[in-house]
Amino acid sequence: MNQFQYVRVTTPKAAVAAVTKENNSLFLAGGTNLIDLMKRNVMSPEKLVDINKLPLNTIEKTATGLRIGALAKNTAVAEHELVRKSFPLLSMALNAGASPQLRNMATVGGNMMQRTRCGYFYDTAMPCNKREPGSGCGAIGGYNRMHAIFGTESSDRSSKCIAVHPSDMCIALVALDATVLVSGSKGERRIPFIDFHRLPGDAPEKDNTLQKGELIMAVDLPNNPFADHSHYLKVRDRASYAFALVSVGAALNLKGNTIQEARLAMGGVSHKPWRLTEVEQFLRGKPATEATFRQAADVAMKGAKGYGENDFKLTMAPNTLIDALKTAAKNA
Amino acid sequence: MPDPKLMKNDEKSPAINRVDGRLKVTGGAKYFAEFEIPGTTYCVLVTSTIARGSIASMETKKAEGAPGVLAVFTNLNLPKIPGLNTPEGNNAKKPSGGETYQMLTDKKILFAGQPIAMVIADTLERAQYAATLVKTTYSKQPHQTDLEKHKAKGVMPQGERNADYKRGNPDTYKTAPVVLEASYTLPIEVHNPMELHGILVNWTADDQVMIYAKTQGVQMTQKAVAKAFKLDEKNVHVHTEFMGGGFGMGLKTWPQEIAVVAAAKKLRKPVKLVVSRDQMFTMVGHRPYTTQTISMGADKAGKLVGIVHEATAETASYEDFTESTVGMTKFIYDCPNVSTTYRIVPLDRGVPIWMRGPGEATGAFALESAMDEMAAKLNLDPIEFRLRNYAETDPEKNRPFSSKHLKEAYQLGADKIGWSKRKNEPGALRDGEWLIGYGMSSGTFNASRGQASAKVILNQDGSLVIQSAVTDIGPGTGTAMVSIAHDVLGIPVGRIKFEMGDTTLPKAPTQGGSTITSTVGSAVYDTCTALKTSLAALAIAQGNSPFMGSKAEDLVFEDGMIQLKGDRKKKLPVGDVLKANNLPTLDRALDSKGGPEQETYSMYSFSVHFAEVRVNPVTGVVRVSNAVSVADSGRIVSPKTAASQMIGGVTGGIGMALTEEAVLDHRFGRLVNNNLADYHVPVSADVPHIDTIFIDKPDPYINPMGAKGMGEIALIGFAAAVANAVYNATGQRIRDLPITPDKVIKRVA
Amino acid sequence: MTNQDNNEEQAENSGSSRRGFLKQSAALGAFAMTPPSAMKAVDTGLHEKIATAFEQMPLQVEINGTLQRLKIEPRVTLLDLLREQLNLTGTKKGCDLGQCGACTVHVDGQRVNACLTLAMTTEGCKVTTIEGLAPAGPDGPLHPMQEAFIKHDGFQCGYCTPGQIMSAVACIREGHADNPDEIREYMSGNICRCGAYSNIVDAIMDVKKGGQKV
């Protein structure tokens, strides 16, 4: 790890100022991915601005829902009574991620800022457009078992990237219509969660739409009617402590057996948490039956594309979606 | 011939707690990297990014000038190691791949991840950073890392053990009423002990060095270093009391260890190397990628007519690695026509090394899967099929087994797992969405007794010290040795101390191949018996002896006392015998080895594994929901640690069956999942409650305890049990491990 | 440079490091900690020892009940601080990347991976390692979880054991040890290559059922 400048700040304003001013400076929160990346020489910031002392870890009810401070630890969110009761999908997704130790360290903001776990991104001896734009995508034609099946179209082949976003938490947040509150040198702004992460397009080095120096302050969740019918289903190579091959966050509002409203997102399939808006529309007003869910899966898989080793996801993803919907429909 | 009656065979050994337990649960146990030597410097290795070629240039100036850096060693400036590349050096035999390799001696690159520079600095952080400043350019050559593509280049390795084997007419299977031909693939697996590999070296004089190593044999490391640096062996002091797992990766002295010894000599400072986890995947061996074909014929009655077992495995271009992948097929079943072939293919990869269960585990996966496939073709219960081909005597060597209780093991295991619930028809059992299946497999591994020395010292306070250079990579060697001494001398286990893992102690073999309890245990047994004989003589002869006129065989050693068999009130504390005879201590040291019985009998440990699996046909997920392993490994010397070894083998077997695979990108010759997040060692959630059962009957011939080994059989065969259970659950046969959700979903969904 | 100097700057920025930074702006307010003479030394090519001094930062952290006043490079992880500087080698390095749990310690009562924790971020925290788990110290009576690991043989080589035990204690304190399946899930952040899981689960269940204070 390179020697870096370490600054501890106690106000968001100072944090934003410290990062905005310098080219290669980053916020340090839980560090569970950043320190890892620095150890592997994938990222070498010259300055780390430690934001852990900022007062941004509260979880509180708001007029329209719930506000979760960016520095709330993953464990604290997952176990918070309000989250468990009113946003169980988020609790389930968080508990499906990483390990208890990592969840004790990782923050909500940091979880959103996680970078891909693609092996080519981490091995500086191999090509990776995300790590080194223009160097090529090692995963295309290589080991792409973990990789994306959605949203990989790119205008320029040399900038191609089929990496996936690794977060579980973000699948729940994108499904539940969260908004991200960020603060920058020009003040605060709100970003719909669905627009926070981006597809690789022609700039796979950019994971999200944050501007230089912008600090995630909080995530807002609107109240929802899905608490009784939520399910997060994660398929992985190990029973625990493994990234998703495919995961599905499903939330339903049922009236009798009729779907009033649905919220759906998939993980392990795209460069960003993959919200299934079209499927949600399809499900509205339909009976919560396996037949409906199978049709929904067909809608969900439109445009999916395998890269060889990840072709199995073309089967696993719809299967997992159907299974998650079935379980969500049963929950109460 | 040893007389097992010497042991109290009618009784089971007590289930004593691990003797080093307190040190291990308090953090007090010191592993190699944890010895504090003032002035220790830190070594970080820079490795090759390409898989074959040579170094064109290396820029080390920036690293050398970085804060705290003491030296950067490359092939250009590492001091010559006097004993390397000599006729008696490590590369005495020319390998099949034709290359030679010693670290930092030339420009050649023979595998990706090969160490090409050592950066040494005053702190770990500075060494790590400076290592990133070394810049290398290469002259690349095309590399070969894909065994599947280069199978045709397989060669028969040297050595009798690796020769083609033939019994009867191997082609007979082809005309049998029921024929099976199937190919099986085992990927690269990596030992990945939790402790990282490395070495801590401190030259205490120009010709004297103290080494803390991660080695499965301190005397092996001692010999290697003494040879490399042309030192007197007694001037090379190696200490490894605790080793954080080995599983085989510590069975040799690796080139980087020798290089660090050289660097420390040059710098005249203590140097510590702890490799990184990704380096654990490339420079300390692995289980080789192996493909196998089993061809098998049987008659309608379920009697095997012929088996042909062919295996091809990777090795390095610079070293031939071989293991006994096809060995089990020669003797485990009674079959008149058997042939085996074993080939190795030199690739541009680091050399493999034996990994727990080694080749036998690889071979058992293929053979025991094939047995299950054949049983299915015959519509026979897999246990019944095995019983119809049970080998009462060793068909390979035409001689009796020293002991074999496999039939009993089948029965005990079947009862425990609830085998009667199993349906021979696949896919018949379901729990909601989940399919349920049962599978079983046998395992076997050579049992032997080698040569070792031990010393025992009795003190006046009745405490006993046992000494042996043997290391303990985890199975509980110290606990077993204390248990044996306790059995012989009746001294309470809490009063016995086992000193180990140091070259100043009596000679012991390297820990591996399930031989230590048999070999070192026998030495401890013999030594304690000699001490007992002396004690008895002294006790009878001493003034005012309560045993006046008795014979040695009339004395009983129990609870730290010597007692008269017929009149237990007549007794003496063992320490009092020393006091009465004016002896501060009484010690015995012996060299001990097996006798001719090893040539008269075939000695093997056996195991039977049972797995219950749940398969989700929608997601492809497989879970082992119940596991039973039965070991026929002779008398169990230390039941508690033995049971742990068994559950450990099952856990390793779950990894082999379901999760573990190191993946190469052959375009680069590099591994793409060289870390513990992407290479999936099973976690707690993958492992169910495991039942272990011991036959616990002494082998009458192998050694005085009657104990056969069990470290390997704990794993050998388990993966086949899981694969067979997956078949039973789904009707799908997955022949390439690991059985990950993607493979299941492709077949089942 | 003392810790007191540092504390005075707590309001906005409570620490900073590195030669590069010394040359940079005073805008962040951490400037008072940097004497002008040092600035000059940086510019004119600093003697190594002085450079070292200024690459190090003060850290106060309570480890196993003892307040440590340290000076460290900011890139030093809690794990390397414990093992290489404080000789608290009970905490193990298994992967150094948060992928195995061997380095599990408690920071302010929470189990974390010391390998991904920059030591600087533990300023003012209470750290407990395996050496500090038993209240009476390493030679006194063992913590009930340590006893249970011995009783159930919850280890073999012993290398992952301190991390397993620290995690196991936390698992009970967090309320995640109600049944074997829950324990398996909440102990999955600690890899044991020897494969002692089944015994570890038994040990934790035993302590949980025993109801002793952990």
Side-chain angles (χ1 to χ4, degrees), chain A residues 100-117:
Chain A
Q101 291 93 315
L102 291 167
R103 296 197 293 268
N104 280 345
M105 302 172 72
T107 63
V108 167
N111 192 319
M112 291 162 62
M113 297 299 290
Q114 269 190 96
R115 310 217 59 190
T116 184
R117 302 287 167 165

Side-chain angles (χ1 to χ4, degrees), chain A residues 78-234:
Chain A
E79 309 223 324
H80 197 277
E81 209 194 318
L82 282 174
V83 177
R84 290 163 67 121
K85 214 176 87 197
S86 306
F87 305 90
L89 186 65
L90 176 58
S91 200
M92 285 186 254
L94 278 163
N95 281 329
S99 70
Q101 291 93 315
L102 291 167
R103 296 197 293 268
N104 280 345
M105 302 172 72
T107 63
V108 167
N111 192 319
M112 291 162 62
M113 297 299 290
Q114 269 190 96
R115 310 217 59 190
T116 184
R117 302 287 167 165
C118 172
Y120 297 92
F121 178 65
Y122 283 83
D123 186 347
T124 55
M126 293 205 266
C128 170
N129 282 328
K130 184 180 276 299
R131 175 172 34 78
E132 204 182 323
S135 63
C137 172
I140 296 174
Y143 178 69
N144 54 43
R145 184 171 168 272
M146 303 297 292
H147 289 70
I149 53 172
F150 290 115
T152 53
E153 309 79 12
S154 160
S155 52
D156 174 8
R157 204 183 143 70
S158 69
S159 63
K160 204 97 168 124
C161 173
I162 58 170
V164 298
H165 194 268
S167 169
D168 292 296
M169 179 195 78
C170 292
I171 305 307
L173 289 180
V174 78
L176 296 175
D177 291 318
T179 339
V180 187
L181 179 66
V182 303
S183 175
S185 52
K186 292 173 196 153
E188 291 193 343
R189 66 179 180 121
R190 299 173 66 82
I191 309 171
F193 203 91
I194 198 167
D195 297 328
F196 182 85
H197 295 97
R198 54 186 300 285
L199 289 176
D202 52 9
E205 70 277 12
K206 286 187 188 152
D207 296 344
N208 55 55
T209 53
L210 281 180
Q211 302 295 313
K212 172 78 185 156
E214 277 185 324
L215 175 70
I216 304 169
M217 304 289 286
V219 171
D220 284 326
L221 278 168
N223 286 325
N224 70 61
F226 305 119
D228 290 344
H229 294 285
S230 295
H231 189 60
Y232 188 75
L233 180 56
K234 181 176 182 182

Side-chain angles (χ1 to χ4, degrees), chain C residues 3-207:
Chain C
N3 204 53
Q4 281 68 33
D5 296 333
N6 192 16
N7 287 343
E8 286 162 17
E9 294 303 316
Q10 204 79 44
E12 278 289 297
N13 298 280
S14 60
S16 183
S17 75
R18 200 169 185 268
R19 273 170 268 181
F21 169 68
L22 299 179
K23 292 189 278 187
Q24 287 168 357
S25 76
L28 297 176
F31 204 67
M33 63 191 280
T34 310
S37 57
M39 292 292 293
K40 199 178 165 200
V42 171
D43 285 333
T44 55
L46 199 59
H47 183 273
E48 191 60 45
K49 275 190 179 161
I50 305 174
T52 300
F54 284 100
E55 288 194 335
Q56 294 188 335
M57 299 186 68
L59 168 67
Q60 270 200 55
V61 54
E62 187 183 315
I63 298 176
N64 297 333
T66 305
L67 184 67
Q68 300 275 357
R69 290 187 176 82
L70 305 163
K71 278 194 166 183
I72 61 163
E73 288 183 351
R75 63 182 161 181
V76 173
T77 62
L78 178 59
L79 176 60
D80 289 330
L81 175 69
L82 293 170
R83 284 177 66 81
E84 306 299 339
Q85 298 190 35
L86 302 177
N87 199 27
L88 287 168
T89 55
T91 306
K92 305 302 185 193
K93 181 180 283 191
C95 71
D96 214 20
L97 300 171
Q99 300 170 345
C100 80
C103 65
T104 303
V105 298
H106 297 174
V107 174
D108 288 343
Q110 301 287 307
R111 51 172 156 164
V112 300
N113 298 114
C115 72
L116 293 182
T117 304
L118 287 183
M120 288 305 295
T121 63
T122 64
E123 171 74 30
C125 295
K126 286 189 167 76
V127 176
T128 307
T129 71
I130 190 72
E131 291 93 343
L133 182 63
D139 300 320
L142 296 174
H143 182 278
M145 191 61 76
Q146 292 170 318
E147 292 282 9
F149 266 63
I150 293 175
K151 178 178 162 197
H152 293 277
D153 209 34
F155 51 91
Q156 292 175 44
C157 79
Y159 196 78
C160 74
T161 311
Q164 298 279 1
I165 291 174
M166 296 310 286
S167 215
V169 169
C171 186
I172 291 185
R173 287 181 186 166
E174 292 161 4
H176 292 307
D178 285 342
N179 58 66
D181 278 340
E182 188 182 29
I183 292 171
R184 285 186 190 106
E185 172 59 31
Y186 280 87
M187 287 300 292
S188 281
N190 292 79
I191 293 178
C192 170
R193 185 50 152 166
C194 297
Y197 297 130
S198 149
N199 289 349
I200 292 171
V201 173
D202 290 348
I204 299 172
M205 277 305 289
D206 196 353
V207 175

Side-chain angles (χ1 to χ4, degrees), chain A residues 120 123 138 238-239 319 323, chain B residues 433 618 665 667 670 681 686:
Chain A
Y120 297 92
D123 186 347
R238 260 194 312 217
N319 280 10
D323 222 35
Chain B
E433 194 170 71
V618 176
D665 185 329
R667 298 171 304 169
R670 293 180 69 80
V681 170
D686 292 296

Side-chain angles (χ1 to χ4, degrees), chain B residues 558-578:
Chain B
E558 255 180 47
D559 300 328
M561 311 284 258
I562 308 175
Q563 305 171 10
L564 191 63
K565 211 175 267 174
D567 181 2
R568 294 292 185 110
K569 278 182 208 134
K570 289 189 172 167
K571 59 185 179 183
L572 267 182
V574 285
D576 286 11
V577 179
L578 271 60

